[in-house]
Amino acid sequence: MVTEKLYLGEKTEQSINTAAEIIKNGGVVAMPTETVYGLAASAFCDSAIKKVFTAKGRPQDNPLIVHIADINELTVIAKDISEKALMCAKKFWPGPFTMVVNKTNKVCESVSCGLNTVAVRMPNNQTAINLIKACGLPLAAPSANSSGSPSPTTAQHVINDLDGKIDAVLMGERCEVGVESTVVSFCGENPVLLRPGAVTFEQLKEIVPNITVDPAVFKSPEANQKVLSPGMKYKHYSPLCQLVLVEGGSEDFCRYVNQKGGFAVCFNEDTEHLTGEYQVYGKNENDSSLAYSLFHVLRELDEKGIKEGYVHAPQKNGVGLAVYNRLIRACAYRVVKL
Ligand code: TXA
Ligand code: MG
């Protein structure tokens, strides 16, 4: 692993080419995407993929998402793609949508941790697309955070977590979506939503009406339960701050937190009724604003040294479902229903 710091400005061709050279030589580079920053490596290079796992401290059985720049590259890494999967790809790419399909032998074993499937997406970020094209390779990229901590939505978050452990950071803007892509498996009889994101369940249902939701989206997977998405079973998105997720209306939430005398992570509209300290993470009626700020705010709590807090839970629909899904994990499944 490289010890010298290499921060590359995102917009220049030279930065992209330098990053591409590093990746083609088996290195790992953090790159911006519209969802969260990713830690990219060649999907065809086993030793590079191992570096990704090591840098993140990622469990060995949690597979990576492969990123492509053109829908035509799909058949290089995936096979037996159903009509439904293709319809979704055409509708939602480039964008925060990942599909799990059968893999070809080209994809390293270590990318999919021995499964015969692969998760694929085409990001909606010009820097990421330019990098994939300059590499001429599909890029495996998990979120560029230390495993377990909140996903990185700025280049600084990546540096805070992984500096000294990766070969370079391609610097970009703050990610506009703020939570990771929607993951849907097309490997069973019906499509299954494994991880909610900014492409919503409601949007997916319009194209694949028989889609179901993996129970792990809403709760902790039971011990011994077969997990469709290995990522769901691990400790995730956790700040050091001990959080409790509180479900209920604004008045009830504020009364509860005021009584407890605790720190609130809340909606804009809650602030006038809170008597103690708080941090706003968006507007309840604008679930995209909650997604945009979620991981940012979780990291800020630790920077400010907040030890405990109560988070106001969003609605479990639209993009709110993605925020809820990350929050139950960030709160280690401590949920209070008022
Ligand atoms: O938005 C995103 O998806 C970001 C950016 C960088 O693209 N990437 C991301 O990767 O969130 P990661 O590794 O943090 O999450 C990948 C998720 C995990 O929950 C993993 O278990 C699941 O996708 N996954 C990957 N391959 C899979 C497979 N073959 N079958 C089932 N789940 C899979
Ligand atoms: Mg991740």
Side-chain angles (χ1 to χ4, degrees):
M1 294 277 156
V2 164
T3 48
E4 195 183 319
K5 295 184 196 311
L6 189 51
Y7 305 145
L8 305 165
E10 71 163 328
K11 298 264 156 66
T12 69
E13 210 179 311
Q14 198 194 343
S15 294
I16 299 280
N17 289 340
T18 307
E21 276 314 304
I22 295 172
I23 289 175
K24 285 193 279 184
N25 287 311
V28 298
V29 178
M31 66 172 181
T33 84
E34 81 281 29
T35 55
V36 301
Y37 274 71
L39 181 57
S42 164
F44 300 155
C45 177
D46 192 59
S47 62
I49 301 302
K50 293 207 164 108
K51 284 187 199 170
V52 169
F53 277 86
T54 307
K56 280 182 59 82
R58 186 177 177 95
Q60 296 293 330
D61 64 348
N62 190 8
L64 311 182
I65 294 174
V66 177
H67 297 68
I68 57 175
D70 190 304
I71 198 159
N72 294 321
E73 293 160 21
L74 195 52
T75 48
V76 180
I77 54 174
K79 62 180 184 187
D80 316 325
I81 304 156
S82 69
E83 200 50 45
K84 285 174 184 170
L86 260 188
M87 276 162 67
C88 289
K90 283 181 186 154
K91 169 85 179 169
F92 299 119
W93 284 352
F97 168 73
T98 296
M99 59 189 197
V100 177
V101 286
N102 288 326
K103 80 187 248 305
T104 65
N105 291 336
K106 288 274 280 180
V107 182
C108 287
E109 284 280 305
S110 48
V111 167
S112 44
C113 305
L115 298 171
N116 51 17
T117 56
V118 64
V120 193
R121 94 171 183 104
M122 189 194 299
N124 186 18
N125 176 290
Q126 202 52 51
T127 302
I129 294 290
N130 289 346
L131 179 63
I132 302 165
K133 286 187 175 159
C135 292
L137 290 163
L139 300 183
S143 49
N145 52 320
S146 299
S147 199
S149 71
S151 294
T153 51
T154 66
Q156 189 58 51
H157 293 163
V158 178
I159 293 168
N160 294 349
D161 275 22
L162 300 180
D163 212 11
K165 297 180 176 172
I166 61 179
D167 296 303
V169 181
L170 198 46
M171 310 285 281
E173 317 274 300
R174 180 169 167 181
C175 304
E176 67 262 32
V177 174
V179 293
E180 306 87 340
S181 61
T182 305
V183 180
V184 179
S185 169
F186 290 89
C187 298
E189 207 166 301
N190 294 328
V192 184
L193 177 69
L194 300 180
R195 182 177 72 181
V199 167
T200 64
F201 183 65
E202 293 82 358
Q203 285 175 297
L204 287 160
K205 238 178 140 55
E206 281 180 25
I207 302 181
V208 280
N210 59 347
I211 186 169
T212 59
V213 183
D214 184 9
V217 164
F218 293 103
K219 57 184 173 83
S220 163
E222 316 276 330
N224 304 325
Q225 181 189 320
K226 185 168 179 284
V227 206
L228 287 176
S229 181
M232 286 292 181
K233 70 184 178 191
Y234 290 107
K235 175 172 169 287
H236 249 323
Y237 318 117
S238 306
L240 297 171
C241 178
Q242 296 252 324
L243 294 170
V244 176
L245 189 62
V246 182
E247 294 185 28
S250 186
E251 267 181 44
D252 288 339
F253 171 79
C254 295
R255 195 178 311 119
Y256 182 82
V257 179
N258 290 343
Q259 255 165 22
K260 292 271 179 191
F263 187 95
V265 179
C266 62
F267 307 139
N268 252 339
E269 45 271 54
D270 297 328
T271 56
E272 55 182 311
H273 303 295
L274 288 167
T275 51
E277 279 188 283
Y278 61 80
Q279 165 100 41
V280 170
Y281 77 111
K283 290 195 178 117
N284 188 22
E285 74 268 23
N286 179 354
D287 50 14
S288 297
S289 73
L290 301 174
Y292 178 71
S293 295
L294 176 70
F295 290 136
H296 220 85
V297 164
L298 292 182
R299 283 179 180 258
E300 263 173 21
L301 296 176
D302 286 347
E303 281 160 24
K304 289 182 180 163
I306 312 280
K307 298 277 181 284
E308 295 173 350
Y310 297 91
V311 190
H312 199 171
Q315 310 286 332
K316 289 174 222 168
N317 53 30
V319 184
L321 181 62
V323 177
Y324 182 86
N325 168 268
R326 306 312 188 273
L327 274 171
I328 50 174
R329 287 164 174 79
C331 297
Y333 305 104
R334 290 179 290 263
V335 182
V336 172
K337 294 184 184 169
L338 298 178

